[in-house]
Amino acid sequence: MFHRVWAALLSLYGILLNSVYQCPEHPQLMALGVDEKELPEPHLGRWYFIAGAAPTKEDLATFESVDNIVFSMAPGPAPRRFQLSATVRTKNGLCVPRKWIYHLPEGSTDLRTEGRPDMKTELFSSSCPGGIMLKEMGQGYQRFLLYKVCELPSNRHGTAAVVPARYGGS
């Protein structure tokens, strides 16, 4: 009986807390920034995969066997195209390289994956410092992915530098 009363009180507390402290809305990143650079331009470089979330377990099945992933985004072979490379380390220790190209259609804020016309990727700012959120949607699935920029150790001025993909690395 005590456990039921305690559970009911905790549930009520959780409902009240959620009604008072709402999660902030994260704005979608725009296709053109203040300096008229295309959206992914500030996000070129190397990124670590941090976490994923989805309405169903099936939407995250791709990540079940993953230990970690490092992504590298670089300018693509043509304007408004971006080359994305990944090194996926599986839980059994294998490293699997992956490559694909994102298109940024004229007048759109959504990235499209070459060869996957059903897939759409939206970019959002993140409250995680140095982080970015992606919302991937495809045929019958949707998932949110959180990435963090890879940084070099602090330089002599005490600031960290981003490892840009175009200057080295995979």
Side-chain angles (χ1 to χ4, degrees):
M1 178 68 177
F2 173 74
H3 293 289
R4 286 186 180 178
V5 171
W6 184 246
L9 286 173
L10 287 177
S11 294
L12 181 59
Y13 175 74
I15 291 169
L16 289 172
L17 190 64
N18 282 338
S19 67
V20 174
Y21 297 105
Q22 297 291 321
C23 291
E25 288 287 323
H26 295 286
Q28 185 170 355
L29 299 175
M30 301 307 292
L32 293 175
V34 175
D35 57 0
E36 294 299 309
K37 289 187 178 180
E38 291 181 4
L39 167 69
E41 182 75 26
H43 304 293
L44 296 178
R46 296 180 65 139
W47 297 82
Y48 287 113
F49 172 72
I50 301 294
T56 68
K57 189 174 181 173
E58 291 78 26
D59 292 349
L60 289 176
T62 303
F63 299 94
E64 251 179 50
S65 63
V66 170
D67 178 53
N68 63 59
I69 308 172
V70 176
F71 289 92
S72 178
M73 186 182 285
R80 303 184 70 79
R81 292 185 184 200
F82 302 90
Q83 177 72 47
L84 193 64
S85 304
T87 302
V88 180
R89 183 179 195 88
T90 61
K91 290 180 181 174
N92 64 6
L94 296 175
C95 285
V96 181
R98 300 280 315 269
K99 288 188 179 197
W100 55 99
I101 294 179
Y102 277 139
H103 298 263
L104 182 61
E106 191 73 40
S108 175
T109 60
D110 304 329
L111 295 172
R112 299 294 181 155
T113 306
E114 187 172 278
R116 307 251 333 253
D118 63 311
M119 189 172 175
K120 179 171 87 169
T121 303
E122 297 175 352
L123 297 170
F124 295 87
S125 64
S126 170
S127 57
C128 174
I132 189 168
M133 287 189 301
L134 275 68
K135 179 180 181 183
E136 288 185 346
M137 295 164 286
Q139 195 167 357
Y141 77 90
Q142 124 177 315
R143 58 186 169 222
F144 292 90
L145 307 170
L146 178 64
Y147 297 90
K148 175 126 174 54
V149 70
C150 297
E151 296 177 346
L152 292 173
S154 295
N155 64 21
R156 62 188 171 118
H157 301 291
T159 59
V162 176
V163 179
R166 57 186 172 269
Y167 298 123
S170 53

